[in-house]
Amino acid sequence: MQGDLEGLLIFLRMKYLIILADGAADEPVEALGNKTPLQAAKKPNIDRMAKEGINGRLVTVPEGFHPGSEIAHLGLLGYDVAKVFEGRGSLEAASMQVPIADDEVAMRCNIICLEGDNIKNHSAGNISNEEAAVLIKYLNEQLPTFRSKTSFTWQDIKFFEGVSYRHLLKIRRGNKHVLCTPPHDKIGQPWRPELTRAELPEGEETSLLLNELILWSQDLLSKHPVNQKRVAEGKDPANSIWPWSLGYRPKMQTLHELFPDRIQTGAVISAVDLIFGIGVYCGLDKIEVPGATGLWDTNYEGKRDAAIEQLRQKDFVFLHVEATDEAGHDGEPELKKRCVEMLDERCVGPILQEVSKWKETVRVAILPDHPTPIKYRTHTMTPVPFAIWQNHPSAPTEPTTIVADGVQTFDEDACFQGSLGLLEKDQFIKYFLDPLNPPA
Ligand SMILES: [Zn+2]
């Protein structure tokens, strides 16, 4: 009888959890005694993962790409970014459950605030979802009045409502080879020189169309009662659309297709549409947690409980926490350190405690997608530290392969000494899923 039970237990599936601390890596900060936020933070649970686990550093952003979260996430999950990346809009479309047809191009469409000749901000003063929804609906209703000098008609165009200033635009027969400016890169600068232009001759018509749409929207939006009310209240009006980051529907294999004997089912937990979108294309279920804000005040307990719950049911869970990245963008060292501590105490600690009781092997990795150094307040290309840890169940699902490598703490310098060294491309995900067959 005992033998039969043990035989059954061997067939329990492996469980995998990735905890992604967005932008957590950094550089030494004077205000933290020349330590990085990861080094300055009190984080006994994350350090335990490094101490009992196996460590290294990972190149998440391939040469020639900007270190955006979407690129870094695709990179760390092992995708060939050059082959699968189709812009932000198409990823966010997946999260918004907007299908993209074969003949359509999708793009992010901000509603922004112009002041005279300049871009005042990329967010229309962080306009509310309710106000934004009215404006996006109004643009769709007015589309029949739009006339283009190109071969496109209004029926080729459709806006989709997202969150706050972040929306989506789809163009039937559109071409993705159009150069656009992310509006957050040009705050306080003239907008006219930043209108779109063709990257290749085949993008010419789409570029002309987008510029026509921008001008058309300015006329309509500036007169709209929602904006007139905002101006009267001293708020920034959303007086122009700003399309950017064009792409077709990504042709991505799911994680199950890539690793059929490791991942059957999975889930992604985040507060960010971009990350949800990547998760959806990876074949993961999108799990929304009430009170997940993407900021320091996020619902850590809710996210942790969702992660544990999903891990009970599925093979693979991706838990994304944005707060550290935002603190980096805001240039706040104390807050960034505190965000690491909250992640440690309220998420990582309880998760490790819980899975330590489970009967099957649970392997957990922690890493950032890229550094967001306080010093620069933006992302950098520097490889990120990672730690891979696993529980020690009474009937392990497979032989123990994760053995301590002498690293004592989780940070940018310590993990550099880890036994896995510097990994790139799909080496991290392959090792994480199957250390017995490490990639070349
Ligand atoms: Zn990021």
Side-chain angles (χ1 to χ4, degrees), residues 79-146:
Y79 287 95
D80 182 344
V81 177
K83 281 202 184 122
V84 302
F85 183 59
E86 286 287 346
R88 246 170 211 251
S90 64
L91 294 171
E92 289 171 337
S95 176
M96 293 158 68
Q97 294 180 308
V98 174
I100 304 169
D102 281 340
D103 64 343
E104 290 176 330
V105 65
M107 68 206 77
R108 162 68 82 77
C109 185
N110 284 38
I111 47 176
I112 69 172
C113 179
L114 302 181
E115 195 170 50
D117 290 335
N118 292 340
I119 297 177
K120 184 172 183 199
N121 57 58
H122 65 292
S123 63
N126 287 311
I127 189 167
S128 71
N129 295 350
E130 293 73 26
E131 290 168 301
V134 173
L135 296 176
I136 295 296
K137 184 161 176 267
Y138 178 66
L139 289 177
N140 276 327
E141 285 165 2
Q142 292 299 310
L143 274 174
T145 69
F146 173 73

Side-chain angles (χ1 to χ4, degrees), residues 22-23 68-69 73 322 325 369-370 379:
D22 204 300
S69 289
H73 271 75
E322 175 80 353
D325 180 60
D369 49 349
H370 50 72
H379 306 175

Side-chain angles (χ1 to χ4, degrees), residues 14 16 48-55 361-365 386-392 398-405 419-420 431-436:
M14 280 286 301
Y16 302 97
R48 176 186 166 198
M49 289 181 65
K51 207 180 227 170
E52 296 176 5
I54 192 162
N55 302 269
T361 305
V362 184
R363 192 170 296 141
V364 186
F386 68 82
I388 299 175
W389 173 94
Q390 71 185 34
N391 64 349
H392 292 283
E398 61 180 37
T400 303
T401 41
I402 304 297
V403 283
D405 60 5
S419 59
L420 288 178
Y431 186 89
F432 176 61
L433 294 176
D434 192 4
L436 286 175

